[in-house]
Amino acid sequence: MLICSSLDEVRRREAALRCIASRVKEHGRTGLYDLSGLAGGFPVKKSDLAFLETYAGPAIFSESLQKEGKDHLGGEKVLAFNRTSAAILATIMALVEPGDEVLHYLPKLPSHPSIPRSVKIQGATYQEIDDLNDFKLSERTSLVVITGSTMDHQVLPLADFERIIEIAHQQQIPVMVDDASGARLRTVIYQQPRALDMGADLVVTSTDKLMDGPRAGLMAGNTQLIDLIQAKANQFGLEAQPPIVAGIVRALEHFNPQRILDSINRKDALYQTVKEVVPGVEKTPTGIMISAENILKEITDSKDETHISEREAATLMAMILLKDHNLITIPAVGMPGVSATIRLDLAAQDAERMDNTQISHAISDSLQRLKQIATDEEACLNILYE
């Protein structure tokens, strides 16, 4: 085994960040191509800098946060967090008691690890479901979570979305929607309503996913619930600090869905090109993706045996893409438990600086190198951790 624990994933991420730092020092920011879809940004104005203080910041930016946040997500009140995961943890701490049950409905298992981990911390039980026929509330259910779109951009059908909210509200159970990328993916591409407009009580989104904001969480919803969650967030330091709030506000002001729409046409051409290299490549709403399963299939077609897992194969390829081609994808830089799918997002700002031929060559070359080293444990370890 090459990746045995969350600690190994932390080591892999640190190696990736060292590589990124080296490239930036040598070539500047333009030497990198972040197609993760999570590049985010920090579009603050020069005039904002004087107010990035503990007390002046909230006073200056709070009103704009409420206005821009409600325009984006709807709802009665908005709250900013240092991470979407922090928002989820604060919500579960505020609304779920030890021994309660949290039901989580999503388009496809498994969920983002932040949800079951938060439930475990609170001492509650957790169940995730992707079949409407299996969705059953119990007397202990105190919160229903819906994922609008998965880490691999699979979107929940509108009918399922509305039915889950209806079932929960019949029993007066609050519904939180984890709409990390879905707040834009669902609404811009699939023309679905905003989660709160469908009757959800709470929604949280990531302000770096398919938009140019900082890596942070933005929650909106029912005022009474938001107040309870805010109290927990403040107790445990989960709330966003003034510089992050300023970045969120400016990102919301600058958000333009056209870049997402423009990626739709380009992805078809890229898909056809990459399909010649990796037959199992799949389309996403804003680009392409290659699953860990398909990467392992590609490298085990050779006569040599390999004992690496699907996750290890995908992570190795992501690290090769980074180290050999300066191309950032999620399995290389993501936190422990992140999806192992290699996803190339053409809505990313850096995609404008790479043409389809460059991307296809990077994938082809990285796959060939992975085939060459897959049976060499020492070489694999060097790729992952050095």
Side-chain angles (χ1 to χ4, degrees), residues 88-103:
I88 290 167
L89 175 59
T91 300
I92 289 170
M93 293 174 71
L95 305 184
V96 178
E97 297 292 335
D100 284 357
E101 177 187 60
V102 174
L103 289 186

Side-chain angles (χ1 to χ4, degrees), residues 164-193:
I164 294 298
I165 294 173
E166 180 184 20
I167 292 171
H169 284 177
Q170 286 173 350
Q171 300 298 320
Q172 298 183 323
I173 305 298
V175 177
M176 176 183 73
V177 176
D178 174 15
D179 233 1
S181 59
R184 288 155 297 283
L185 190 65
R186 291 189 308 99
T187 59
V188 174
I189 293 182
Y190 291 90
Q191 297 294 299
Q192 290 188 359

Side-chain angles (χ1 to χ4, degrees), residues 309-326:
S309 68
E310 292 177 358
R311 172 172 286 276
E312 290 167 343
T315 306
L316 280 163
M317 182 162 171
M319 291 295 283
I320 294 169
L321 283 166
L322 174 61
K323 292 184 173 184
D324 290 2
H325 299 279
N326 304 325

Side-chain angles (χ1 to χ4, degrees), residues 8-73:
D8 283 343
E9 292 194 73
V10 171
R11 290 175 56 220
R12 173 267 303 158
R13 185 171 188 271
E14 289 175 345
L17 295 180
R18 287 195 299 271
C19 177
I20 289 170
S22 174
R23 298 299 187 274
V24 170
K25 288 176 184 176
E26 188 174 354
H27 303 291
R29 175 59 182 84
T30 56
L32 291 173
Y33 303 96
D34 189 338
L35 302 192
S36 68
L38 306 178
F42 210 84
V44 293
K45 300 178 180 179
K46 188 174 182 179
S47 59
D48 295 333
L49 300 181
F51 301 104
L52 304 184
E53 301 174 346
T54 302
Y55 302 113
I60 295 298
F61 298 115
S62 291
E63 184 177 347
S64 294
L65 178 71
Q66 293 300 317
K67 177 186 179 301
E68 298 297 334
K70 285 188 277 190
D71 284 349
H72 197 70
L73 296 176

Side-chain angles (χ1 to χ4, degrees), residues 24-295:
V24 170
K25 288 176 184 176
E26 188 174 354
H27 303 291
R29 175 59 182 84
T30 56
L32 291 173
Y33 303 96
D34 189 338
L35 302 192
S36 68
L38 306 178
F42 210 84
V44 293
K45 300 178 180 179
K46 188 174 182 179
S47 59
D48 295 333
L49 300 181
F51 301 104
L52 304 184
E53 301 174 346
T54 302
Y55 302 113
I60 295 298
F61 298 115
S62 291
E63 184 177 347
S64 294
L65 178 71
Q66 293 300 317
K67 177 186 179 301
E68 298 297 334
K70 285 188 277 190
D71 284 349
H72 197 70
L73 296 176
E76 299 171 352
K77 190 173 182 178
V78 170
L79 186 59
F81 292 83
N82 57 33
R83 289 274 304 278
T84 304
S85 298
I88 290 167
L89 175 59
T91 300
I92 289 170
M93 293 174 71
L95 305 184
V96 178
E97 297 292 335
D100 284 357
E101 177 187 60
V102 174
L103 289 186
H104 183 190
Y105 192 83
L106 63 165
K108 184 179 179 181
L109 307 181
S111 75
H112 189 280
S114 63
I115 300 173
R117 287 172 181 171
S118 297
V119 174
K120 184 177 181 180
I121 287 173
Q122 190 64 358
T125 61
Y126 172 78
Q127 185 181 173
E128 55 189 45
I129 305 149
D130 60 0
D131 186 335
L132 196 58
N133 295 319
D134 297 332
F135 186 79
K136 301 286 189 298
L137 300 175
S138 75
E139 293 181 356
R140 295 184 298 111
T141 306
S142 59
L143 179 67
V144 168
V145 179
I146 298 174
T147 290
S149 66
T150 67
M151 292 182 281
D152 292 335
H153 285 184
Q154 296 194 22
V155 172
L156 188 67
L158 185 58
D160 287 6
F161 217 126
E162 293 173 333
R163 180 58 180 151
I164 294 298
I165 294 173
E166 180 184 20
I167 292 171
H169 284 177
Q170 286 173 350
Q171 300 298 320
Q172 298 183 323
I173 305 298
V175 177
M176 176 183 73
V177 176
D178 174 15
D179 233 1
S181 59
R184 288 155 297 283
L185 190 65
R186 291 189 308 99
T187 59
V188 174
I189 293 182
Y190 291 90
Q191 297 294 299
Q192 290 188 359
R194 298 178 299 183
L196 297 177
D197 294 338
M198 287 189 279
D201 302 285
L202 299 162
V203 63
V204 63
T205 193
S206 299
T207 57
D208 63 335
K209 292 184 177 178
L210 298 178
M211 63 182 294
D212 296 332
R215 186 173 193 187
L218 184 68
M219 176 171 276
N222 172 284
T223 297
Q224 183 179 5
L225 295 179
I226 290 285
D227 287 346
L228 291 172
I229 295 164
Q230 183 170 14
K232 285 294 182 185
N234 291 344
Q235 286 176 34
F236 293 94
L238 302 172
E239 78 282 2
Q241 297 304 302
I244 297 295
V245 175
I248 292 172
V249 167
R250 300 310 177 203
L252 290 170
E253 289 175 345
H254 297 162
F255 175 66
N256 182 355
Q258 189 59 47
R259 200 164 75 208
I260 298 175
L261 295 171
D262 289 343
S263 69
I264 297 174
N265 292 330
R266 183 181 170 188
K267 75 174 182 186
D268 292 329
L270 179 61
Y271 169 78
Q272 293 299 332
T273 302
V274 175
K275 192 174 182 181
E276 296 178 8
V277 179
V278 186
V281 65
E282 301 172 71
K283 294 181 184 179
T284 70
T286 57
I288 62 169
M289 67 180 185
I290 309 171
S291 70
E293 178 185 6
N294 278 316
I295 292 170

